[in-house]
Amino acid sequence: MGRAGRRLPAVAAALFYGVLAALVLLGVRDVLFLYEENRCSMTYMYEYPEYLKIKLPKKTARRYPVYELYLYGEGNYAEENKNLFLTGIPVLFLPGNAGSYKQVRSLGSIALRKAEDVDFKYHFNFFSVNFNEELVALYGGSLQRQTKFVHECIKVILKLYRDREFAPTSVAIVGHSMGGLVARALLTLKNFKPELINLLITQATPHLAPVMPLDKYLTDFYTAVNNHWILKAQDLRNLTTLSVAGGFRDYQVRSGLAFLPRLSQHDSALSVVSSAVPRAWASTDHLSIVWCKELILATIRAFFDLIDENTRQITEDPKKRMSVLNHHFVRHPAKIFEENPEPFTELTGAFTWITVKASKWIYSSYNDSDGKFFTFPLASHRKSYSHVYCENSMLDTSSWIYGCMNSNSSMCLEATDLSWKAELLPTTKVVILQLQDYPSLSHIVIQALPIVGNKYTLDCEFFKEDSRTVQLPVTHLFSFGLSSSKILLNSTGLLYNVQLQHFNQIYQAFKIYIESHCHSLKERKPNVYRLHIPWSHEDSITVAKVPSFTEISAKLHTAQPQNDNRVPELNIYSSSDCQYEVILKTSPVQILGQIIRFHAGTLPVYVVSNILLTYGGQLSTLISTGQCSDFSLELVRTAKPYKVEPLISIVVFLQRFHWFRVIWQSLSLPEVDAAVLSSQDAWFPLVSLILFLFGTGIAYWSGVFFSISLRLFSSLWLTLIRPTVFHKDVKLITPRRLCGVLSLALVSWTTCGAFAILIIYLQYLFKVIKLHVNVRVEQKMLNGDSDPSKETSRNSSIHTVKDQSSMDNTSKATQLLSNSTTIAEAVNSLKMHVTILNLFTWIVLLNLPSLIYWLKNLRYNVRLDPDPCRSTAIILVCILEILMNSSTSEVKSSKLLKIAAKVPLPLSVAMLAFGRMHLYKVPHFVTFSFLLHVLCCIV
């Protein structure tokens, strides 16, 4: 019963941490797999794509031997461009992390087809940079080099057009992923002229912060770019920037990171999510955003609408550029873009004029050869209704709704075109007009064109806004989907707005169920449900058959800004004789997904913090009991969130006060990461506690996995290799080990620091496995000593001396005691080494990206320069060479052990305070703790 009683807490801990690990996996599953299906069409080339390499100046080619510049072409167009006599509009494509220069083909091919449609009156020349598929999202050391190379490319491109009749003076840039950040960084170069770029379109670019801040060069690059765009916002007004995010399908770069900073001085920047882009309405993953046909078509249409007929280049007017981008990426009126549409239109033609006085009206046309004008007098409706809503199922680009001014007759010969107020939806185009905004209008005129072979419907209704607006409070976060909010809409109209009260934070996630029932079984056009987020362009649209049961996920990419009181809405474009039941429930799985989506990059900090607390606890038990506790048991005892979280929360609270910020800055301390995340609306209540618990669960099961792996490796060792007698190393530092340290330090200095770290890690792993094997062998031998017959059998040989069996009992007991003490000391050392190796594993993982980058570019340069972990690697090599040969017996007698046991707690606090947005700082805290351990072995 005693042994069973001791096992109960261990089983309970395993179950608790198993639940935590399962919650993490549920969140990861939601991010990686539970999203909408891919609704993008593939872009195809009609002719074989060709990439013409542009010869660079010798100085540029020598300075950047790895990078290249290409011109895209197809068929005859590619042949004509081989002499580089270019007359088009230059566009430069910049690939992102591990991206290929060939990704430009979707843009180039669609632009070529569009140019053919206009008989090459205008056309674009698409250039693309080959960055050698560098992993710049993982290693920031080459970002500045890429930026300078792009500057040289722009100068080379513009020289190709020199002495042309319509020579360009600037280049438009399309940047995918990190390529968009490199394009923004051009403005930070000292000798760069801002007028060289007038249009920048970025695709799934993390503008706000790096996805994983793995090295100092990456975070410093971001800081320099964003600070420049904030401080020099006034100078960037002539640059028009569009950022397109991929939505929830893009789990590599969450859309909140792709939103450009909102600056009052910089009104020429626009950020949208692809699910809100008209005529696309689809979320894209990180790669499909460069070939999604619907998005590429929107981009190319915008390019052609941006052309100035006088210069035959992209217009220099910033207002027109923003108008075009809003037309194609925000609100499309189902009309071809016009910069200055005519204020009045003559309504002519052999059309029949029909007056409609009803408040609701529907007209269906099929094979109607006669056109009609339907006029709606407004005088009789202004007192009873506040709005008029009209929809047209014919998705052409012709005008169809007009406003007639002060007309007393049944006809209106001159009217203002209200079609520009329309909005295109997947199945219809709609207009919503507030009557008080048009006091001068006397009539609304709907034009029904004569159409042969096609059927379409026109609907109009007048309504009061209050009658079509319903408030639906969202369920509480901790309702866990057990409760719900419901409304029932007995539809008598065509539009309902369901306001989702208190839905404004990124940690909220809901499932909305819409069930429609209709009174008759007649055929109806599909309904459209739109989740509208008023403070950012991140709407999502769902098309559903009628009747149907539809499920919609409601979650945010960006939180509601301060001083913004607008409420998210569910717009239901309904059928007039149907009933709609709307049910809203909290989705716990999607809440976990939001936590992982926004904060997965900080989980390594929490895991290492938990392991570091456990490491400190093991040192404490070494002081109090003389024994090193097991990792799992010590993690359960020591890794508590109340030890680290309160202090950080107090500091974040105090930083709201000016006097504390002055003291903090006088100490030259950086800002606490939690405060920065809170200012970006990316931090919410209890998130740090949840992440700490998640980190504890991951640390626990990683420790279990580590122990099982060591046992498997040691079993394999015992199977393949004959075990040797365990010998304890007397000296920590020997000439051989000193040579090994110098060799690895040289490797770190001349090649890559992460490579030296990996080598010393494998060496340490080998030592620990060997120690594990020796401990198992010695334990078996000790167990065998307790049975004389087994000992005699094991040691029997042809040279056995008979008087060995009559060994003195006192001498034997002394030997057994000595062996058991040695084995106990080896077990303690093994437990300590396992924890140290567990910590070191995370250091290796955090430095692995720079190692991968170095290996990928090894054929170009043996030395990684700059190297983010070179100095850390040299220090770690020296420390770990001593640690791997140390034992707990040397540490127990040290005067510094009490200090070494207390330091991991403040280090864990500092790690969580300053490492969440700077992952590269984590190895520094762990290294300092290792350094104290080494001093304990020496002093």
Side-chain angles (χ1 to χ4, degrees), residues 302-494:
F303 270 132
F304 276 86
D305 284 341
L306 286 166
I307 297 173
D308 186 330
E309 291 185 1
N310 296 322
T311 63
R312 298 200 175 186
Q313 297 294 324
I314 290 178
T315 179
E316 296 295 328
D317 183 2
K319 291 184 178 179
K320 180 182 177 181
R321 293 199 295 262
M322 282 303 295
S323 297
V324 170
L325 294 180
N326 275 290
H327 179 93
H328 289 283
F329 288 91
V330 177
R331 184 186 179 95
H332 198 295
K335 285 182 65 66
I336 297 173
F337 176 80
E338 294 180 26
E339 183 177 2
N340 297 306
E342 293 292 333
F344 297 101
T345 303
E346 292 185 1
L347 302 182
T348 59
F351 283 64
T352 304
W353 287 82
I354 302 173
T355 301
V356 180
K357 295 183 178 180
S359 60
K360 295 180 183 177
W361 169 83
I362 183 171
Y363 172 76
S364 296
S365 174
Y366 180 69
N367 284 337
D368 191 351
S369 59
D370 298 325
K372 296 178 178 67
F373 282 121
F374 296 92
T375 63
F376 297 79
L378 299 180
S380 60
H381 295 301
R382 288 187 183 275
K383 293 181 180 180
S384 304
Y385 305 104
S386 62
H387 290 72
V388 59
Y389 169 86
C390 294
E391 63 181 25
N392 186 349
S393 64
M394 187 193 304
L395 303 182
D396 63 347
T397 58
S398 61
S399 296
W400 61 283
I401 182 169
Y402 305 90
C404 189
M405 296 185 182
N406 301 320
S407 175
N408 296 322
S409 65
S410 59
M411 298 177 60
C412 181
L413 299 180
E414 190 176 64
T416 180
D417 191 351
L418 297 177
S419 303
W420 293 104
K421 304 294 182 181
E423 182 175 13
L424 181 65
L425 295 175
T427 62
T428 185
K429 49 188 178 183
V430 302
V431 172
I432 305 174
L433 302 176
Q434 189 170 355
L435 296 180
Q436 68 178 19
D437 293 341
Y438 301 91
S440 60
L441 294 186
S442 60
H443 293 75
I444 295 290
V445 179
I446 303 292
Q447 183 179 19
L449 294 172
I451 297 294
V452 178
N454 290 323
K455 182 179 180 179
Y456 71 95
T457 58
L458 294 165
D459 297 82
C460 278
E461 66 169 348
F462 292 85
F463 65 91
K464 280 187 177 180
E465 185 178 19
D466 294 342
S467 66
R468 301 301 173 84
T469 303
V470 183
Q471 294 183 349
L472 180 66
V474 298
T475 50
H476 195 270
L477 175 69
F478 295 109
S479 65
F480 300 110
L482 300 177
S483 62
S484 62
S485 292
K486 298 180 182 180
I487 56 168
L488 188 63
L489 303 174
N490 290 309
S491 177
T492 57
L494 303 172

Side-chain angles (χ1 to χ4, degrees), residues 131 220 272 373 378 461 509 598 621 625 754 868 907:
F131 285 137
D220 287 351
V272 299
F373 282 121
L378 299 180
E461 66 169 348
F598 279 82
T621 56
T625 65
L907 285 179

Side-chain angles (χ1 to χ4, degrees), residues 613-631 633-635 637-638 828 831-832 888 892 897 901:
L613 288 173
T614 306
Y615 168 70
Q618 287 180 315
L619 292 178
S620 297
T621 56
L622 203 60
I623 297 172
S624 59
T625 65
Q627 303 293 322
C628 183
S629 56
D630 184 72
F631 175 84
L633 297 176
E634 194 60 42
L635 179 73
R637 189 182 70 86
T638 311
N828 287 332
K831 290 177 180 178
M832 184 60 68
T888 52
K892 279 191 285 188
L897 182 56

Side-chain angles (χ1 to χ4, degrees), residues 748-764:
S748 176
W749 186 260
T750 57
T751 58
C752 173
F755 183 50
I757 289 176
L758 180 63
I759 293 173
I760 194 72
Y761 173 78
L762 294 175
Q763 187 179 343
Y764 199 165

Side-chain angles (χ1 to χ4, degrees), residues 730-802:
V730 179
K731 293 184 179 180
L732 289 175
I733 303 174
T734 62
R736 183 178 179 181
R737 291 170 187 164
L738 190 61
C739 290
V741 169
L742 293 175
S743 299
L744 287 178
L746 184 64
V747 168
S748 176
W749 186 260
T750 57
T751 58
C752 173
F755 183 50
I757 289 176
L758 180 63
I759 293 173
I760 194 72
Y761 173 78
L762 294 175
Q763 187 179 343
Y764 199 165
L765 181 63
F766 175 80
K767 285 267 187 179
V768 171
I769 294 173
K770 187 176 180 181
L771 178 61
H772 196 278
V773 168
N774 289 330
V775 166
R776 290 180 64 178
V777 171
E778 293 290 332
Q779 285 177 335
K780 287 182 179 180
M781 291 178 65
L782 182 63
N783 293 334
D785 286 338
S786 61
D787 188 345
S789 62
K790 289 183 180 179
E791 179 65 25
T792 304
S793 174
R794 185 183 298 111
N795 294 321
S796 60
S797 63
I798 58 173
H799 302 290
T800 301
V801 181
K802 291 183 180 180

Side-chain angles (χ1 to χ4, degrees), residues 907-924:
L907 285 179
S908 296
V909 176
M911 190 185 301
L912 291 180
F914 306 114
R916 283 183 277 217
M917 296 179 64
H918 306 83
L919 289 178
Y920 62 88
K921 292 182 179 180
V922 171
H924 302 162

Side-chain angles (χ1 to χ4, degrees), residues 137 176-178 181 184 203-211 222 226 253-254 257-259 286:
H176 172 241
S177 187
M178 295 298 287
L181 186 70
R184 288 180 62 212
Q203 302 169 328
T205 295
H207 292 291
L208 193 62
V211 177
Y222 265 91
N226 287 328
V253 176
R254 63 177 178 87
L257 291 178
F259 276 54
H286 197 62

